[in-house]
Amino acid sequence: MAARSLTATHLNLIEVANKTIDAVPPHSTTEARTTDHTCAAAALASDGRIFTGVNMFHYSTSLCAENTVLAKAAEAGVASAYSPGLARPTEESPVAEAEQRPAELVLMVAVLSEGRGVISPCGRCRQIMVDYHPGIEVLVLDSDTGDIKAVGIKDLLPYAWVPKKW
């Protein structure tokens, strides 16, 4: 999938991610700690729900904001390559619950605190997204041009190692 220009949906998801990190204290202080939350992510599901999360930095290991979002989406019944997900009845869908298709994640973005903007996912996040959501689109920062682009996760991690499903 070639990189695409941003749409209103993309811009809205960036705004949601920025509002998420802006709402998490503490903000910049003279005693900024490495344990402060510095990144937020937001993901859009095919049924319109948006999931958000922040990073959890710790000296022993860290949990990226994207992984927090993936866990929240799984908890809410969003389908992945490892889980069939749960169909959610909606007012707009008169189809019986057994006939409804579970939502899937279709778009992800991560932003840094203090207005530092969109960042591209790290290698670990890319691998997890390829494994769980191989069709997801990700908003990334093109470091050569400074533009934000929408790119398929498989384009961000070509020749990914894909484990056999257990």
Side-chain angles (χ1 to χ4, degrees):
M1 173 188 296
R4 295 189 313 119
S5 299
L6 298 185
T7 66
T9 299
H10 296 136
L11 296 173
N12 180 61
L13 201 62
I14 293 169
E15 182 179 341
V16 168
N18 279 318
K19 285 181 179 179
T20 299
I21 195 61
D22 289 347
V24 178
H27 298 287
S28 280
T29 66
T30 55
E31 299 172 9
R33 303 173 307 220
T34 56
T35 56
D36 291 343
H37 307 287
T38 57
C39 181
L44 175 66
S46 57
D47 64 1
R49 288 182 291 168
I50 295 177
F51 299 92
T52 61
V54 297
N55 69 319
M56 299 287 295
F57 184 86
H58 191 263
Y59 65 87
S60 65
T61 188
S62 296
L63 179 63
C64 295
E66 295 95 330
N67 291 330
T68 302
V69 169
L70 295 176
K72 285 178 160 182
E75 178 184 22
V78 172
S80 74
Y82 292 98
S83 171
L86 301 171
R88 286 179 10 123
T90 64
E91 290 180 20
E92 296 82 29
S93 178
V95 178
E97 186 173 339
E99 299 173 19
Q100 291 180 0
R101 188 174 170 171
E104 299 175 350
L105 291 183
V106 295
L107 181 63
M108 173 81 77
V109 66
V111 298
L112 291 173
S113 60
E114 301 175 351
R116 293 178 288 160
V118 171
I119 59 168
S120 299
C122 72
R124 181 177 67 176
C125 288
R126 291 176 193 209
Q127 182 68 54
I128 292 170
M129 281 189 265
V130 162
D131 293 346
Y132 281 81
H133 302 280
I136 198 168
E137 189 174 62
V138 183
L139 299 180
V140 297
L141 180 65
D142 182 329
S143 58
D144 292 334
T145 65
D147 295 333
I148 299 169
K149 297 180 178 178
V151 181
I153 189 62
K154 289 182 179 179
D155 292 325
L156 289 179
L157 193 62
Y159 312 109
W161 177 79
V162 180
K164 292 180 181 178
K165 293 182 184 177
W166 22 94

